Structures are given as structure tokens and as C-alpha cells.
């Protein structure tokens, strides 16, 4: 009981704080651990560039669970402070890196995001160092300014130039879409904010004589759109019955005539009150872009909010090639737009924006909180615009990319991906015509290519059924997973044509990797069909 403060201090002379989180000055600790952590990070990136490195260290999640345990120690592994403590920390970092998917291989083609760039790693380091909360500008002056500038820049690119637009970062495209639905509800139905859906029902009864199911607010979105729209309906209290799925053409684009019919019949049959139309720009499976001007005309006719979910395809607006950028023609007509720089633009997760054509529309989400917001200026209180409070300064990551590559560079990046995707399609069409089947493609082509092996003519299989072809797809996917050289996904495609391998072509993917992947799928498929025919 006699251990005095002096003797304790003598044991660790640098110690100033009673907290174990600060056993020595931060700069001393950082001088020691950061170079070592950075070395591990650099090794991970270097190893990703080694053609022999597996994309994923384990063939299955079960194998990972069997082989890797994460400790939650009661007591730290070594005495506080100094190099002995660092060893446990660095081992833990190494454990994470060694057992993770390595996106730096360039062979992780499974999802809509891929490796960031080194600029992204630096940006994350800066963000963690500042640890500033972007809810109010006084806490995060530069992060908030970066957010303001990026919002302005994105609004200009999308053509929000006639109004006073606004926007903010959101923790992902799903959150951005959800906020768009909430914002639309409050703007289309003024009583929503105070009275909720009961107020909306009363408003519709009074204004249009709609009662019962006719007073159900409806969201129209394509049957190829992202599930976050459905989740937004759940979280807004509308429920899934408020979602009307609009059919697409064979390339995955929403059919505006079908939308028109569904809007008309909802109103005339009294099944609901349309208030929200979502245009998908870059659908999740096929990469298709809905025709914005046609949807905008219908939104105007029916008094609906027009939202563009450009989570995946939005960055095509940066393309210097008119034929590509024009996929977003009419974006200025939207009331709100979601874009995820953390997908196609390779900004580190997460970095997503919701933009609105009219800044005032976000006022529907704001509340006075005297303990946080000391002015009514939403530009200085970004958290006013959303349902969240604490916010990471994600915009600074996009800003650093924008500084580093310029708008032009971001556009050329998109073009590089589109050229590569075309090369993939051409390769399959010309070299693999006999043994591979291409799925429906977005028109014009975007960055997803769906394909699957098919039996060679004369292999004695006749016409394999859709179920047999889907089984071949699943077999191929399993085999690729076992090999661990490529990560790709598979998905059932619209119109009941069964499952296909879905390849996401990222702009920085190496052509020789793509070629090798297609060749592997071909080999696996041919082996499968020749066995299956025995
Ligand atoms: C990925 C995606 C989303 C969701 O974005 P998150 O950032 O993953 O929440 C929404 N819509 C589309 C079209 C997407 O591709």
C-alpha cells in the first residue's frame, strides 16, 4: 500500500497521465510505433502486387474461424510503455493484415469497390489524427470546408446551377437514399415532420379526398434497383407495401412506359399516392442507367420527388467522353442525388454524398439543439441536415483525390474502366464464343460483365437447361473460391435466365488478370461440362 506516486513516476519517467492510454508522450509513442505500423502496411500493399499472392488467405469463412482467434485480454500482454508493449500491438496488426482480403492484388473483382490509392491511405491517417467531428464547423473547420467545397463541386458537375443546392456526406449510399426518402416525405407532405404518417393521411384526405389505401405514400423504383430503397421504406414507417417495382427492359433500364402505367393505375385504382421516383444510375447487377429525362417528366406530372441513386454509376458524369457522361443527362432535373466516391472513384470506405437541388429541402431534417448548434446556418452545422449527429469528415478524402487527380483525372479513370470492360466483352465474344455465354449487358456497356460457361457444341449435351447452366455457374464460383486467385460474385439475372458469374471491371484492373480469369472460368466450365456429360 505504500507504493508512492513518486516511485511510480520514477518507474516510467515520461508518464504524465494516470490513464493507461497515455503511458508516455504521444509523440514519443508515435515515433516508435508509426514507422513499424507503416512498414507492415507497405508490406501488405507490396505483397498485393506480387502475382503469387492470394486474394483471400482462407478458402472459406469456416476455415478462417478455425484458424484465427482474436484475444480480448483482461490484462495487456506486456508492461505498459516501451517496446515490449509494442510487440503485442504490432503482432495484432500483422494478424489482421495477414488474414484479410488483399484488394491491392487487383484481383478482388467481387464487389463494387476495390483498393483505394495511396492518397486514400494518407487521407485516412490525416482524418484519424485530427479526429474532428464534422457535425459542427467549429470542431472541424477544415473538414467542414472540404465538405462544403466537394458538395459545391459535385452539385456543379451534376448541373445544379439554377438553384441554391446543398448536400452532405453520408455513411454510405444506403443512408443517403434513406435520407432522400425522409427528406422527400417532409417536403412533399408538409405535415410529415410534425404529425408523421397520420398527418400525411389527413393531408391527403383533405387535399385530394384520398383515404384508406389511396392515402398510402408510394415509392416507384425499378426492379433492378438497390434494396436500400426498400429499407428506406421500412425505416420511414411506410413499409414495404409502399414500394412499387417498375419493370426494366432486357438491358436493366427502367421502362418509362411501365412507370407511367403504374403511376396512373395507382392513382386511378386508389392503391396509393405516388410521391417518390427513384432513377438508378448504374444498377448493382447489370450497371444500367435509367432514362432520367423521361422519369423527370413523369415526376413532374405526378408531383413526385425525383431521386437519382448514382451510388455506383454517378461518377460517369466525370467522363470526358460525351457518350459516357450523357448517361447522366438530365441529372439537373433531380431533386436529390446519391453518389458514392468510395466505389468507382476508389476513395476509401466510406465516402458517400447526398446532394439536393434546393438547399431548403434539407431544413425538414433540422432541429434546434442549443447544446450543439449555436447558429441556424446549416453550412456551419452540417449535422442539422441529417438524422445523425457525430460525423466523420469523409469529404476530405474526396477533396484530396480531387486535388491529386483533378476532375479530368477522375474522368479518365472512369473511361479507362469502360474501355477495359469493352475489351472483356470482345474477348469473350471472339475467343470464347463456343464455350461461354454472355449475360445481358447494359447498353451502353458499363463496368459489369456477366457470363457463364456453356457446353461446347457437339459435347453431347444438347441444350443444357437454365438450371444446369446455373449449376455450372455455382460450381465455377466455388472452384474459383477454392483457388483463391480471383474473387468474383455470381447473381441471378432478370427474366429468369438463371445465375451468371458477375465480374466487376475496375478501371485499374490489369488486362492480363482479366484474361486469366476468363480463361480459368472457361477451363473450369469445360471440365465441368465434360464430366457432367458422362
Ligand atoms: C452500393 C449501392 C448502394 C448502397 O451503397 P452503400 O454505400 O453500400 O450503402 C445503393 N445503390 C446502388 C445502386 C449501389 O450500387
Amino acid at each position: 500500500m505504500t507504493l508512492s506516486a513518486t516511485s511510480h513516476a520514477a518507474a516510467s519517467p515520461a508518464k504524465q497521465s494516470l490513464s493507461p492510454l497515455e503511458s508516455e508522450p504521444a509523440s514519443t509513442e508515435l515515433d516508435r510505433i508509426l514507422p513499424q505500423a507503416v512498414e507492415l502496411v507497405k508490406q501488405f500493399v507490396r505483397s498485393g502486387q506480387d502475382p503469387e499472392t492470394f486474394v483471400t488467405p482462407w478458402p472459406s469463412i469456416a476455415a478462417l474461424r478455425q484458424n484465427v482467434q482474436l484475444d480480448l485480454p483482461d490484462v495487456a500482454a506486456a508492461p505498459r510503455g516501451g517496446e515490449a508493449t509494442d510487440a503485442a500491438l504490432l503482432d495484432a496488426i500483422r494478424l489482421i493484415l495477414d488474414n484479410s482480403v488483399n484488394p491491392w492484388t487487383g484481383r478482388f473483382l467481387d464487389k463494387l469497390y476495390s483498393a483505394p490509392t495511396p492518397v486514400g491511405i494518407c487521407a485516412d491517417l490525416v482524418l484519424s489524427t485530427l479526429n474532428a467531428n464534422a457535425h459542427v464547423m467549429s470542431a472541424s473547420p477544415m473538414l467542414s470546408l472540404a465538405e462544403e467545397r466537394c458538395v459545391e463541386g459535385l452539385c456543379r458537375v451534376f448541373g445544379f446551377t439554377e438553384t441554391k443546392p446543398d448536400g452532405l456526406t453520408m455513411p454510405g449510399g444506403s443512408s443517403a437514399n434513406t435520407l432522400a426518402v425522409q427528406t422527400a416525405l417532409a417536403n412533399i407532405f408538409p405535415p410529415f415532420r410534425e404529425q408523421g404518417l397520420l398527418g400525411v393521411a389527413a393531408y391527403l384526405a383533405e387535399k385530394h379526398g384520398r383515404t384508406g389505401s389511396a392515402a398510402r405514400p408510394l415509392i416507384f423504383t425499378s426492379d433492378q434497383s438497390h434494396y436500400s430503397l426498400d429499407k428506406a421504406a421500412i425505416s420511414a414507417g411506410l413499409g414495404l407495401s409502399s414500394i412499387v417495382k417498375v419493370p426494366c427492359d432486357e438491358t436493366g433500364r427502367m421502362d418509362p412506359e411501365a412507370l407511367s402505367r403504374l403511376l396512373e393505375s395507382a392513382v386511378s385504382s386508389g392503391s396509393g399516392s405516388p410521391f417518390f421516383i427513384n432513377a438508378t444510375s448504374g444498377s448493382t447487377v447489370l450497371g444500367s442507367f435509367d432514362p432520367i429525362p423521361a422519369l423527370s417528366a413523369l415526376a413532374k406530372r405526378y408531383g413526385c420527388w425525383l431521386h437519382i441513386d448514382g451510388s455506383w454509376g454517378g461518377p460517369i458524369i466525370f467522363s470526358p467522353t460525351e457518350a459516357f457522361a450523357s448517361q447522366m443527362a438530365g441529372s439537373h432535373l433531380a431533386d436529390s442525388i446519391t453518389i458514392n466516391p468510395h466505389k468507382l472513384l476508389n476513395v476509401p470506405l466510406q465516402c458517400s454524398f447526398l446532394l439536393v437541388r434546393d438547399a431548403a429541402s434539407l431544413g425538414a431534417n433540422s432541429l434546434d439543439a442549443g447544446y450543439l448548434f449555436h447558429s441556424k446556418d446549416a453550412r456551419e452545422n452540417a449535422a442539422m441536415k441529417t438524422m445523425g449527429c457525430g460525423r466523420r469528415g469523409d469529404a476530405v478524402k474526396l477533396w484530396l483525390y480531387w486535388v491529386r487527380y483533378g476532375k479530368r483525372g477522375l474522368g479518365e479513370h472512369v473511361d479507362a474502366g469502360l474501355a477495359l470492360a469493352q475489351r472483356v466483352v470482345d474477348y469473350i465474344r471472339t475467343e470464347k464464343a463456343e464455350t461461354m455465354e454472355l449475360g445481358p449487358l447494359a447498353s451502353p456497356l458499363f463496368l459489369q460483365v456477366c457470363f457463364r460457361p456453356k457446353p461446347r457444341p457437339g459435347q453431347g449435351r444438347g441444350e443444357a437447361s437454365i438450371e444446369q447452366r446455373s449449376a455450372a455457374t455455382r460450381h465455377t464460383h466455388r472452384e474459383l473460391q477454392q483457388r483463391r486467385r480471383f474473387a468474383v460474385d455470381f447473381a441471378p439475372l432478370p427474366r429468369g435466365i438463371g445465375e451468371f458469374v458477375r465480374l466487376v471491371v475496375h478501371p485499374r484492373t490489369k488486362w492480363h488478370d482479366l484474361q486469366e480469369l476468363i480463361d480459368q472460368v472457361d477451363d473450369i466450365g469445360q471440365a465441368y461440362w465434360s464430366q457432367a456429360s458422362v
Side-chain angles (χ1 to χ4, degrees), residues 151-373:
V151 165
E152 281 168 14
L154 290 170
C155 284
R156 196 168 317 120
V157 172
F158 282 112
F160 285 170
T161 49
E162 309 280 288
T163 50
K164 186 176 172 299
D166 199 7
L168 73 168
T169 58
M170 292 296 293
S174 300
S175 312
N177 289 343
T178 301
L179 188 64
V181 168
Q182 260 153 1
T183 305
L185 269 170
N187 280 275
I188 301 277
F189 305 116
F192 176 75
R193 183 182 145 99
E194 291 294 327
Q195 307 289 332
L197 292 176
L198 284 177
V200 173
Y203 174 84
L204 284 166
E206 194 177 315
K207 194 154 185 249
H208 299 293
R210 293 186 196 154
T211 55
S213 63
R216 179 194 289 286
L218 294 177
I219 294 174
F220 291 75
T221 188
S222 91
D223 60 15
Q224 290 297 298
S225 65
H226 191 262
Y227 73 79
S228 50
L229 276 304
D230 308 54
K231 288 220 174 169
I234 298 175
S235 68
L238 296 169
L240 290 173
S241 335
S242 280
I243 295 277
V244 179
K245 288 283 166 72
V246 183
C248 292
D249 67 17
E250 66 284 357
T251 72
R253 273 161 65 98
M254 188 197 283
D255 173 1
E257 284 175 13
L259 173 63
S260 176
R261 278 194 302 277
L262 287 165
L263 285 162
E264 185 49 42
S265 91
V267 176
S268 59
S269 73
S271 65
S273 294
F275 82 102
F276 191 96
I277 296 174
N278 173 58
T280 303
S281 288
S283 62
T284 308
V285 177
L286 294 181
S288 304
F289 288 75
D290 291 344
I292 298 168
L295 271 52
S296 164
L298 289 166
K300 288 209 172 81
R301 189 184 314 157
Y302 287 89
C304 290
W305 183 276
L306 178 65
H307 175 67
I308 296 178
D309 179 7
S311 293
W312 168 229
I316 203 170
I317 194 90
F318 284 95
S319 167
T321 308
E322 175 55 23
F324 298 150
S326 66
Q327 289 304 301
M328 297 287 313
S331 59
H332 64 288
L333 300 168
D335 295 291
S336 56
I337 301 177
T338 296
I339 179 171
N340 276 358
H342 72 215
K343 284 179 169 171
L344 181 45
L345 296 182
N346 300 94
V347 174
L349 285 157
Q350 290 162 314
C351 184
S352 173
F353 287 81
L354 179 69
L355 310 169
V356 292
R357 192 179 55 203
D358 181 3
S361 63
L362 289 173
N365 305 324
S366 80
L367 286 175
D368 292 333
Y371 50 83
L372 181 63
F373 304 132

Side-chain angles (χ1 to χ4, degrees), residues 39-41 43-45 47-48 53-59 64 67-68 70 90-102 484:
E39 187 48 40
L40 294 176
V41 166
Q43 273 172 24
F44 183 73
V45 174
S47 120
T53 299
F54 292 126
V55 171
T56 154
W58 299 103
L64 168 77
N67 287 282
V68 182
L70 301 183
L90 294 163
D91 282 348
I93 295 175
R94 209 175 282 115
L95 183 72
I96 296 288
L97 293 171
D98 285 351
N99 292 288
S100 288
V101 168
N102 192 330
R484 293 187 280 147

Side-chain angles (χ1 to χ4, degrees), residues 23 94 114 126 186 208 242 256 306 361 403 440 447 478:
S23 56
R94 209 175 282 115
S114 59
V126 170
H208 299 293
S242 280
L306 178 65
S361 63
V403 166
L447 297 167
R478 264 193 312 276

